[in-house]
Amino acid sequence: MTHQLGILDLLSACGFDQACKAKLVRHQDKRFDIPTLIRDGWMDLYQAHQASDIFGKCEYIVSFTGDGGTRAKFLGVYRVANGRRRTPADIPEDSPFQDWLNQPGYFYELEYVPQFADLEGRVVVEWGAGALAWHQYMKNKPVIEIFPSGRALQPFSDYLDFTLSYRELQELMTNEAAHRDWQSSLSAVAGIYMILAETTGQQYVGSAYGLTGIWGRWQQYAANGHGNNKLLKQVIKDDPEHYPKSFRYSVLQVLPKSTKDSEVIRWETQYKHKLGSRATGLNAN
């Protein structure tokens, strides 16, 4: 019988001791957007806080994030250095976890283990039917996908089924070879897109056409966040603490690349009217 590659096989090849006391954890939380926590640097603190003594008997935790359905993408390995009851001092004032201040819980000192870094964000396992069992003692869960080095985003599925943060957009363009599915899909079409300024809710509507389609236009945004648009430049100048990192990029409509430029621009104008991006948003014309 052929042995299916499992997560323990990969970790062991990198020096992980299968005999240690460890848990697999899959982070997927309706209260928080996990990609945003990762982007803003709060993920380590998030998993250090638990409502009960989840990691009390663990030497290590092997962390994953939900990746759609029952898939789980490898996040990293952490050593459980210490655990104790939570205190208000464990929750920084600027963190998104202020609701936990008056709630009992546990806090763990987790030390990141760098020797598995090459697998982070690349390995996807099948978590199994018990998706609600988000923490489990070590099992050799089957590996169902290994992305090329530099892969940061999940597989491309649909043009209207995603939004990208500025960081994700940069990762997409910086590691084209690892995101060939995204490159081929976004290069294949013209279309209308939107840029959202998250802190204000203001919107910018733009259009993409030509040989490289949406991909080519978004390369310009990845370089500086604003794509040389006057009002987007102003947003970055006025609030450099949040921008361009708090821009989000999404597709509103796709069109064949054979569509005449004038027709693409006509659709762009329609969306500007529908969304009010001239009156209250970031479109100057």
Side-chain angles (χ1 to χ4, degrees):
M1 181 180 293
T2 303
H3 172 72
Q4 181 175 3
L5 182 69
I7 186 61
L8 283 179
D9 300 321
L10 284 180
L11 293 177
S12 297
C14 296
F16 186 81
D17 180 9
Q18 293 193 35
C20 72
K21 294 179 180 179
K23 275 187 174 181
L24 300 170
V25 298
R26 180 178 185 261
H27 297 295
Q28 187 163 292
D29 194 331
K30 293 181 179 179
R31 301 169 300 171
F32 300 98
D33 182 63
I34 299 300
T36 299
L37 293 181
I38 294 172
R39 180 196 71 189
D40 294 343
W42 292 113
M43 190 62 195
D44 286 356
L45 185 64
Y46 167 83
Q47 68 176 355
H49 285 274
Q50 298 297 328
S52 57
D53 193 13
I54 298 295
F55 306 143
K57 297 180 180 179
C58 295
E59 297 174 87
Y60 294 90
I61 61 170
V62 181
S63 292
F64 295 80
T65 60
D67 195 48
T70 56
R71 295 161 54 98
K73 184 165 62 177
F74 178 61
L75 182 63
V77 175
Y78 297 80
R79 188 175 77 86
V80 182
N82 187 33
R84 54 177 170 75
R85 291 199 175 272
R86 178 165 61 203
T87 70
D90 297 321
I91 304 175
E93 292 182 359
D94 60 339
S95 78
F97 311 125
Q98 299 307 302
D99 289 348
W100 296 348
L101 279 170
N102 298 315
Q103 298 176 12
Y106 285 79
F107 179 79
Y108 300 90
E109 295 176 11
L110 301 176
E111 297 179 353
Y112 170 70
V113 182
Q115 73 193 69
F116 308 99
D118 186 56
L119 301 176
E120 293 170 15
R122 298 178 54 210
V123 177
V124 178
V125 304
E126 172 55 49
W127 194 258
L132 293 178
W134 67 272
H135 60 95
Q136 304 173 9
Y137 284 104
M138 292 298 295
K139 299 176 182 177
N140 199 22
K141 291 186 180 291
V143 172
I144 56 177
E145 199 159 10
I146 301 177
F147 294 116
S149 180
R151 180 80 181 199
L153 277 69
Q154 62 186 28
F156 184 89
S157 59
D158 186 86
Y159 291 101
L160 305 183
D161 193 32
F162 71 88
T163 65
L164 297 178
S165 68
Y166 179 57
R167 178 180 175 183
E168 289 170 332
L169 184 66
Q170 286 185 307
E171 290 174 336
L172 192 63
M173 300 300 175
T174 301
N175 299 292
E176 292 183 17
H179 299 92
R180 288 193 181 95
D181 52 335
W182 284 82
Q183 182 185 22
S184 61
S185 298
L186 293 176
S187 298
V189 296
I192 314 304
Y193 59 85
M194 183 182 74
I195 301 174
L196 173 69
E198 287 189 298
T199 64
T200 65
Q202 290 182 298
Q203 301 166 346
Y204 172 82
V205 173
S207 60
Y209 41 85
L211 291 177
T212 54
I214 293 174
W215 179 272
R217 182 64 180 115
W218 281 11
Q219 282 181 316
Q220 299 171 353
Y221 290 112
N224 51 32
H226 54 68
N228 296 316
N229 174 267
K230 179 180 177 180
L231 293 186
L232 295 181
K233 282 183 178 180
Q234 192 63 46
V235 170
I236 295 171
K237 181 180 179 181
D238 292 344
D239 190 2
E241 179 182 354
H242 293 102
Y243 294 99
K245 73 176 183 179
S246 292
F247 282 140
R248 296 198 71 87
Y249 306 81
S250 59
V251 175
L252 297 176
Q253 181 172 341
V254 294
L255 297 163
K257 280 206 298 186
S258 59
T259 306
K260 291 182 179 180
D261 295 356
S262 59
E263 180 67 6
V264 178
I265 294 171
R266 185 184 73 80
W267 276 108
E268 176 188 11
T269 302
Q270 287 275 44
Y271 277 97
K272 288 177 180 177
H273 285 312
K274 289 181 179 181
L275 298 175
S277 62
R278 285 172 171 162
T280 61
L282 296 169
N283 284 106
N285 55 47

